[in-house]
Amino acid sequence: MSRVSRAKLLQWTEGFRISFYDPGVTDDELQGDLTVPEPRQIYENATQWMGSSRSKILCIQAPPYRGSEWLVPRELLQRLRFPVSLPCVWFFGGARSYQGLTGQEVTPQAKMLSLVSTMITQLIKLVPHTVGNTRGTFSRTNIMKMQEPDENSPGIPISIPKAIDLIKALAKVAPPNLFFVFHRCDGLASVNGAPDRTVTRQFSDLLRYLAEGQPFRQWKILWVGTCTSRYLRMMRGTVESDQFVFVEYPTDFRP
């Protein structure tokens, strides 16, 4: 079996990674001090989830207050990455600009493009220096094909399904104890309140794969969003009841 270096993967994906990498919060922002306190029970549940060999999905209801909704996922992501340096992949969605687009310019396809480009970038940085190129998954030819427009996603410069396949393959060769953090991704596939069927299907396929997991992998998902999300219901249905933890944001808490 041939092997491919991490440097080559970074080189072959450089074009779209530079253009569309957009996690919503930067490394510099993650390392900054947070001065606003948050409900203690959220962090108690998160600490138990981080160390549990059983729990897989932790859903935290997003804070209802503008200006504070990013504090919970930022703080938890900081706790995962510093100082213990657990391997993390994260994406902060919600109502924000994507690739410089704002308002009505932001389509579900643009948000999905940001998500897959971000996850690929972060995962490549986590894989070993060389990876086995099983069935040509990590070949230059395969990655170049991914960077060709898909007929089912007009206006998107890469194939989202092929990008999702690459994410799945990278996750399988990354460290086995991966943490995936999704913030405010409930409306990722929506435009003017109506879901885009193609993007909904694509995002659901990715989340289902991560929730189901793979042999010898201990993947965990932190989902910060609404308790009524279709994606959350789908993920909850893929795991056993004691592998899913839901934490409500206390209505009487004021930051």
Side-chain angles (χ1 to χ4, degrees):
M1 178 178 63
S2 62
R3 300 189 69 81
V4 175
S5 70
R6 182 172 60 200
K8 285 292 186 183
L9 293 176
L10 287 169
Q11 176 186 334
W12 296 337
T13 58
E14 182 178 22
F16 78 89
R17 285 192 303 102
I18 290 176
S19 298
F20 307 116
Y21 176 76
D22 184 15
V25 61
T26 66
D27 280 339
D28 289 341
E29 290 171 324
L30 287 174
Q31 296 182 53
D33 293 332
L34 297 179
T35 58
V36 180
E38 288 295 334
R40 178 177 298 177
Q41 62 265 43
I42 285 181
Y43 297 120
E44 290 174 348
N45 278 275
T47 299
Q48 294 174 3
W49 165 77
M50 290 176 193
S52 171
S53 60
R54 184 68 180 164
S55 297
K56 296 179 66 174
I57 301 172
L58 173 62
C59 173
I60 297 175
Q61 187 176 29
Y65 314 108
R66 284 191 176 277
S68 65
E69 61 177 354
W70 285 36
L71 294 177
V72 168
R74 274 186 59 191
E75 173 68 14
L76 293 180
L77 190 51
Q78 280 182 322
R79 292 184 181 209
L80 286 169
R81 300 186 68 227
F82 312 105
V84 291
S85 299
L86 293 171
C88 298
V89 174
W90 68 93
F91 186 78
F92 283 43
R96 64 175 179 87
S97 65
Y98 293 82
Q99 308 147 36
L101 303 175
T102 58
Q104 296 297 318
E105 298 176 314
V106 179
T107 64
Q109 290 78 12
K111 289 185 280 188
M112 193 66 182
L113 178 59
S114 289
L115 182 140
V116 297
S117 300
T118 296
M119 293 185 71
I120 288 171
T121 300
Q122 294 171 348
L123 282 167
I124 290 177
K125 293 179 179 179
L126 291 173
V127 303
H129 289 293
T130 62
V131 294
N133 189 23
T134 307
R135 300 178 181 177
T137 302
F138 301 124
S139 68
R140 184 180 185 278
T141 299
N142 195 52
I143 291 176
M144 290 302 107
K145 285 183 178 179
M146 182 195 72
Q147 298 177 62
E148 297 175 356
D150 186 88
E151 61 181 11
N152 294 320
S153 300
I156 300 299
I158 68 172
S159 168
I160 297 297
K162 287 185 173 64
I164 290 174
D165 288 342
L166 181 58
I167 289 171
K168 294 176 180 179
L170 288 167
K172 290 174 68 174
V173 296
N177 59 329
L178 269 176
F179 288 79
F180 295 91
V181 178
F182 298 98
H183 172 252
R184 287 291 193 189
C185 290
D186 314 81
L188 185 86
S190 297
V191 55
N192 297 325
D196 180 284
R197 292 184 179 180
T198 299
V199 175
T200 297
R201 184 178 63 253
Q202 292 167 343
F203 191 33
S204 296
D205 171 55
L206 174 59
L207 291 175
R208 184 179 297 105
Y209 179 83
L210 299 179
E212 290 175 346
Q214 293 291 304
F216 311 110
R217 307 277 110 181
Q218 191 177 23
W219 296 340
K220 290 178 179 285
I221 299 173
L222 170 60
W223 181 271
V224 181
T226 65
C227 57
T228 57
S229 165
R230 70 175 65 202
Y231 305 114
L232 183 61
R233 293 196 302 269
M234 178 273 296
M235 288 191 290
R236 189 170 191 169
T238 65
V239 300
E240 297 181 26
S241 59
D242 63 338
Q243 294 179 313
F244 180 93
V245 180
F246 176 71
V247 182
E248 288 188 275
Y249 195 91
T251 56
D252 59 348
F253 181 83
R254 293 294 186 275

